[in-house]
Amino acid sequence: MEFLITLIICLLAGLGAGLGTGFAGLSAAAVISPMLITFLKMDPYQAVGIALASDVLASAVSAYTYWKNKNIDIRNGVLMMAFVLIFTMIGSYASSLIESTTMGNFSVFMTMLLGIKFILKPVMTTKEKMASVSASKRAVQSVICGAMIGFICGFVGAGGGMMMLLVLTSVLGYELKTAVGTSVFIMAFTALTGALSHFALSGAPDWTVLVLCVLFTLLFARIGARIANKAETRKLNRMTGIILLILGIVVIGFNLIA
């Protein structure tokens, strides 16, 4: 019975996290962490580590799908990723020193606001308009934003993907599919760094929960990414917004139950 409960919780967590990753580049920790903490009574720091580990393959397979459809800006993404990685490790270490859920509510609140934004004000930027942005300006913005996003990702284990999507669409002016593709490309590496940092500081995870969460998140991320790449831009904005809004509401519900 205990394994069955664990299986169901991990399946539901993987479903929400995978679709959030595939559609919007959302960090799996935004969904997995509160579910593991609330229903499996797992240590918050361990839960974040497992969630980040689940993010690695899910983001990688999503990034591959977006890359096949030519919806990734690797050149500028690598620059941002370098600073995200550095500050993810710094944030992860800072998180081990204080309460790891300190900024959780902020992350959930921002996820819901971003969902509403995509529903009411879709991102209709084209790839042609993206190409007109100054390369030097985008590079400077990538460095500054990468540092900020990395620290948030490492510190709370959630919000990195959400913040990245917001920055790529609103600050750097990316077309939505390219923004999500670039986001999951970066998140695959930041999640790996964050997970290794968490496990190095807290010890080995619960392997059963880890394997189940990784498999289910990977499966649904693949499904979400394939649907997203075939969707028309305005419809994708709505689907992304609805998923972010629902995930935000669900996570708030978990926090109230806990």
Side-chain angles (χ1 to χ4, degrees), residues 80-116:
M80 180 181 286
M81 180 176 66
F83 285 85
V84 170
L85 286 173
I86 293 170
F87 281 85
T88 294
M89 290 187 285
I90 295 173
S92 182
Y93 177 73
S95 175
S96 70
L97 302 178
I98 62 176
E99 175 56 47
S100 59
T101 57
T102 301
M103 291 180 63
N105 290 332
F106 168 77
S107 174
V108 175
F109 180 66
M110 287 300 295
T111 297
M112 294 179 64
L113 285 183
L114 188 58
I116 294 172

Side-chain angles (χ1 to χ4, degrees), residues 17 29 31 39 42 60 139 198-199 219 225 227:
V31 180
F39 297 108
M42 185 171 288
H198 273 66
F199 294 149
L219 171 64
I227 295 174

Side-chain angles (χ1 to χ4, degrees), residues 52-187:
L52 287 171
S54 301
D55 236 343
V56 178
L57 289 180
S59 293
V61 74
S62 297
Y64 176 70
T65 302
Y66 280 90
W67 174 77
K68 283 201 307 181
N69 289 274
K70 299 181 179 180
N71 288 321
I72 286 185
D73 182 359
I74 293 180
R75 178 180 298 178
N76 291 295
V78 167
L79 178 61
M80 180 181 286
M81 180 176 66
F83 285 85
V84 170
L85 286 173
I86 293 170
F87 281 85
T88 294
M89 290 187 285
I90 295 173
S92 182
Y93 177 73
S95 175
S96 70
L97 302 178
I98 62 176
E99 175 56 47
S100 59
T101 57
T102 301
M103 291 180 63
N105 290 332
F106 168 77
S107 174
V108 175
F109 180 66
M110 287 300 295
T111 297
M112 294 179 64
L113 285 183
L114 188 58
I116 294 172
K117 173 189 178 298
F118 282 126
I119 294 173
L120 300 181
K121 191 177 180 182
V123 176
M124 301 303 292
T125 305
T126 63
K127 290 185 178 181
E128 290 73 22
K129 189 173 181 180
M130 278 179 55
S132 66
V133 177
S134 166
S136 58
K137 177 181 178 181
R138 181 165 288 167
V140 173
Q141 291 174 329
S142 296
V143 169
I144 296 173
C145 295
M148 177 184 67
I149 292 167
F151 185 83
I152 293 174
C153 178
F155 186 73
V156 301
M162 176 271 299
M163 289 292 292
M164 203 173 305
L165 184 62
L166 177 62
V167 167
L168 290 174
T169 55
S170 300
V171 179
L172 301 183
Y174 277 52
E175 176 262 344
L176 183 56
K177 291 181 182 179
T178 306
V180 175
T182 305
S183 176
V184 292
F185 166 70
I186 297 172
M187 284 302 297

